[in-house]
Amino acid sequence: MSTLTPAAPQNSVPGPTALNSGSRRSRFGKFGGKSRMDPTRNNTAAGIAAWLLALLFAAPVLWMILTSFHSENDAATNPPSLAANLTLDAYKEFFGASSGVSPWPPLINSATASILSTVLVLVLAIPAAYALSIRPVKKWTDVMFFFLSTKMMPVVAAILPLYLFAKTTGALDNIWFLILMYTSMNLPIAVWMMRSFLAEVPVEMLEAAQIDGANLLLTLRKVIAPVAMPGIAATALICFIFSWNELLLARVLTGVVAGTAPVFLTGFVSSQGLFLAKVCAAAVVISLPVLFAGFAAQDKLVQGLSLGAVK
Amino acid sequence: MTTATARISRPGTSATKPSKNARARERALAWARRAPLLPALIFLIIVTQLPFVVTLIISFLNWNSLRPDQTGFAGLENYIQVLTNADLRQAIFTTIILTVSVVLASLVIGLGLALLLDKKFIGRGLARTLLIAPFLVVPVAAALIWKHALLNPTYGLINGTLTWIWSLFGSNTPPQPDLLSQAPLMAVIVSLVWQWTPFMMLILLAGLQSRPMDTVEAAQMDGATPWDIFRHLTLPHLRQYLELGGLLGAIYIVQNFDAVFTLTSGGLGTANLPYAIYQTFYFANEYGLASAAGVVVVIGTIVVATFALRTVFSLFKKEAAR
């Protein structure tokens, strides 16, 4: 039984042919071939269970969306009012002038920081990944692990010097400093992801291009770019999501001028008191870009988070 | 892959006795190869390693920004205080409990979900998308929703649902627990498990789908029960993915700040190290002490990371061997 490990599947598991010829006895003794479950019935049960769990896990998100379309009175009821009238009041209130605090500056700050840091990351990561995969430098694995180790260092271990530096140089509450921080936060992940994407470029094609006398630029454009493009897009999405979600750095390094959406969201609640529908509307608005980006790149998201180790 | 790449990218290194000229050319070639790497490398060293060196230095200083005249060398005093200060010691324990329980729970639930989603059923894509949603909501927003829309004792969804269920049976005295004040750490754990289970599920699903199906079919032919197959084929194959998910989850969750900050503001024994450090330097202005605590987190993370590196490395070698 213990020989049934994936490590040596070729010789340890009898193939169908061997079985049909009757030359080997079943390893599973008396159960023979009869205990195999009917695949259709099995899947229906699994489907029902999966759907129930999926709804349970999605319930808080669905509830957040539903509540954001309720009036404040209907939002805070016990038992919950599923059938209450839908209204856009919470959104109007969130974006409107009546509250006095506009969500636009923080949203624009978040967009600026996320997009610009993503661009910077790509500019730095793509050449680095090229140097680590297509024409690898010596000891490229060591370099890869150095990149990874910087990601494993908790932000709190470096935040005080960064804060002091920003304070003395006047970079505090400056969106550009935050952009640099987000770039360094995402760069290791991007290098790892991009390397795994570039490693997928078939060597035969590179060799063929070399033999045909194609120069580097032509090889990049005709051979590497077509394979790497989806990977670049996925990397960009993940860097965007991480920057958009980040709270600790933004909270410490920004303030009134450069505050991002997550910082605004935490402050928004305490200054407004509790208006549940409005809180939900704010959470929906701020999560929307990430929800869209994430649903678009589900698999790549794991690959990015697992630093390119899982394909 | 690696060997093949090395073959094409290192032309003519086998010359018996390279002349001075050839050696210079080779060196120039090596630099040309290194050049694209350097901007990223230098940038990261400056922005991440330099600050940590400064943290290391500050951790040996007696430095409270409100008393700048008393700044001086403190030796190991800050480290001793980190380990003896009741709050910081509590933060270390909280961090360990939080990390271990969230990682284990989300791994187990994630494994169950991955096994279900590995089967074909109607609307599988949509179910998968629904399951990923918790992971995609902005962490601060997710924490706010848990705090106000779900766990609020008077009008949160959870107590509201309890009221509704009890009313179905004609009772108007439903249980109305208040998790946030009665078991705040549990509230943080539940919300983090909810958020991280999809991540584990996706990693394990990737593992399941890379499983060689011929061995599974052969075992089925041989009359293996689903449990046999799970125990002896699926689980060994998933081991690497379980380790990877667990260790990466640990690295992300050790650093968690958003949930603790939003749900409980570190109250009632829920302050983990990142939150405690944030408070120590941001509000208490104890720069030396905060830095020492930061160094302690790094040491702890290095221990976890060493295992993580080994796992990632084995996956890496597998890829290189292909």
Side-chain angles (χ1 to χ4, degrees):
Chain A
M1 211 54 184
S2 60
T3 51
L4 274 179
T5 51
Q10 314 88 316
N11 16 13
S12 59
V13 177
T17 343
L19 259 179
N20 291 344
S21 70
S23 62
R24 290 182 73 156
R25 278 192 54 208
S26 162
R27 284 165 190 276
F28 302 96
K30 61 177 177 177
F31 291 107
K34 284 179 185 166
S35 72
R36 262 157 62 207
M37 283 182 107
D38 177 8
T40 353
R41 201 186 65 205
N42 196 12
N43 285 358
T44 313
I48 292 168
W51 263 101
L52 284 177
L53 285 165
L55 287 173
L56 183 73
F57 265 82
V61 181
L62 299 175
W63 182 242
M64 164 180 92
I65 297 170
L66 182 65
T67 306
S68 74
F69 288 109
H70 280 167
S71 69
E72 291 296 348
N73 279 339
D74 293 329
T77 56
N78 184 349
S81 48
L82 280 170
N85 287 334
L86 301 181
T87 160
L88 284 172
D89 285 356
Y91 288 93
K92 280 182 195 148
E93 180 87 7
F94 176 68
F95 284 113
S98 56
S99 58
V101 212
S102 169
W104 286 112
L107 282 171
I108 291 167
N109 280 337
S110 268
T112 312
S114 307
I115 293 170
L116 289 184
S117 72
T118 300
V119 171
L120 256 174
V121 164
L122 291 181
V123 167
L124 289 169
I126 293 172
Y130 177 84
L132 291 167
S133 60
I134 307 260
R135 290 168 67 84
V137 294
K138 281 179 193 166
K139 300 196 173 174
W140 62 274
T141 44
D142 293 351
V143 180
M144 288 296 284
F145 283 113
F146 168 74
F147 278 117
L148 186 57
S149 69
T150 66
K151 190 64 212 163
M152 287 177 175
M153 188 176 77
V155 182
V156 282
I159 200 164
L160 176 63
L162 294 172
Y163 169 74
L164 293 173
F165 175 82
K167 209 167 133 185
T168 45
T169 58
L172 214 53
D173 204 9
N174 179 329
I175 196 78
W176 285 100
F177 191 63
L178 196 65
I179 289 170
L180 286 184
M181 292 302 109
Y182 285 175
T183 305
S184 76
M185 172 177 88
N186 288 328
L187 188 53
I189 299 176
V191 169
W192 270 72
M193 280 186 78
M194 286 307 308
R195 197 209 74 90
S196 73
F197 288 124
L198 289 185
E200 279 171 24
V201 178
V203 187
E204 296 75 29
M205 283 173 71
L206 291 171
E207 276 172 344
Q210 206 173 34
I211 290 164
D212 289 349
N215 62 18
L216 179 61
L217 273 179
L218 197 66
T219 314
L220 277 175
R221 209 156 46 96
K222 292 281 180 190
V223 181
I224 299 174
V227 181
M229 252 340 176
I232 294 177
T235 312
L237 267 180
I238 281 171
C239 294
F240 175 84
I241 292 175
F242 280 153
S243 307
W244 187 274
N245 283 353
E246 207 281 333
L247 174 68
L248 180 57
L249 282 166
R251 166 125 194 123
V252 172
L253 299 176
T254 70
V256 191
V257 186
T260 60
V263 179
F264 173 74
L265 195 54
T266 58
F268 166 82
V269 174
S270 51
S271 68
Q272 299 290 314
L274 248 182
F275 294 100
L276 199 56
K278 213 159 80 174
V279 171
C280 287
V284 169
V285 169
I286 287 168
S287 297
L288 222 47
V290 176
L291 280 168
F292 276 131
F295 285 141
Q298 298 180 10
D299 298 317
K300 308 296 177 192
L301 195 68
V302 197
Q303 196 173 340
L305 281 163
S306 54
L307 304 153
V310 168
K311 286 239 165 109
Chain B
M1 181 79 217
T2 352
T3 46
T5 325
R7 180 154 43 83
I8 61 150
S9 55
R10 226 173 281 166
T13 44
S14 58
T16 39
K17 234 184 182 181
S19 67
K20 219 174 198 176
N21 233 349
R23 234 180 300 154
R25 207 171 49 224
E26 204 179 297
R27 209 172 306 148
L29 213 77
W31 273 108
R33 195 171 290 164
R34 238 168 266 160
L37 180 67
L38 290 179
L41 206 56
I42 294 168
F43 177 79
L44 260 191
I45 290 172
I46 293 174
V47 180
T48 67
Q49 305 304 294
L50 222 55
F52 179 64
V53 173
V54 178
T55 301
L56 209 58
I57 295 168
I58 298 177
S59 72
F60 292 104
L61 295 180
N62 199 348
W63 185 5
N64 183 318
S65 68
L66 300 179
R67 297 188 296 273
D69 48 315
Q70 290 168 22
T71 305
F73 184 67
L76 289 174
E77 207 178 285
N78 289 321
Y79 288 92
I80 294 167
Q81 218 186 322
V82 169
L83 298 174
T84 52
N85 178 310
D87 288 344
L88 286 174
R89 217 172 39 193
Q90 175 67 42
I92 294 176
F93 285 128
T94 303
T95 309
I96 294 170
I97 293 170
L98 192 68
T99 309
V100 172
S101 52
V102 171
V103 168
L104 286 183
S106 52
L107 260 183
V108 171
I109 304 172
L111 176 62
L113 287 170
L115 287 170
L116 287 177
L117 282 202
D118 191 41
K119 301 205 157 67
K120 282 202 179 72
F121 57 83
I122 301 162
R124 180 168 71 160
L126 187 58
R128 191 179 112 131
T129 303
L130 280 176
L131 274 167
I132 295 164
F135 196 66
L136 294 178
V137 176
V138 173
V140 179
L144 277 176
I145 299 305
W146 273 89
K147 182 173 182 172
H148 298 301
L150 301 177
L151 292 174
N152 184 293
T154 37
Y155 50 76
L157 180 65
I158 290 173
N159 281 359
T161 308
L162 288 175
T163 307
W164 176 69
I165 292 173
W166 255 250
S167 73
L168 289 182
F169 296 98
S171 161
N172 52 9
T173 52
Q176 298 284 282
D178 182 1
L179 200 62
L180 269 173
S181 59
Q182 283 160 359
L185 189 57
M186 185 51 94
V188 175
I189 289 173
V190 168
S191 79
L192 282 177
V193 168
W194 173 77
Q195 219 180 351
W196 279 91
T197 299
F199 169 71
M200 303 300 185
M201 178 198 81
L202 286 173
I203 284 198
L204 295 174
L205 200 55
L208 279 176
Q209 285 169 356
S210 74
R211 192 169 43 149
M213 280 320 281
D214 47 343
T215 44
V216 174
E217 273 160 24
Q220 268 175 347
M221 289 278 196
D222 245 359
T225 63
W227 171 249
D228 284 332
I229 292 173
F230 175 74
R231 172 79 187 72
H232 295 281
L233 285 176
T234 310
L235 215 51
H237 172 76
L238 280 185
R239 207 189 112 181
Q240 271 180 324
Y241 294 88
L242 285 164
E243 284 174 359
L244 183 74
L247 292 163
L248 286 170
I251 285 163
Y252 285 108
I253 292 158
V254 161
Q255 305 188 31
N256 180 275
F257 175 77
D258 308 30
V260 173
F261 176 83
T262 310
L263 274 171
T264 61
S265 306
L268 302 165
T270 59
N272 61 350
L273 272 170
Y275 188 82
I277 293 170
Y278 163 78
Q279 269 196 320
T280 311
F281 91 84
Y282 207 69
F283 293 115
N285 296 290
E286 291 281 1
Y287 290 177
L289 190 60
S291 298
V295 175
V296 170
V297 183
V298 170
I299 293 170
T301 317
I302 286 172
V303 176
V304 179
T306 315
F307 291 103
L309 279 180
R310 202 171 299 159
T311 309
V312 174
F313 195 68
S314 67
L315 283 168
F316 213 44
K317 270 203 302 220
K318 238 191 191 170
E319 189 216 87
R322 214 160 28 204

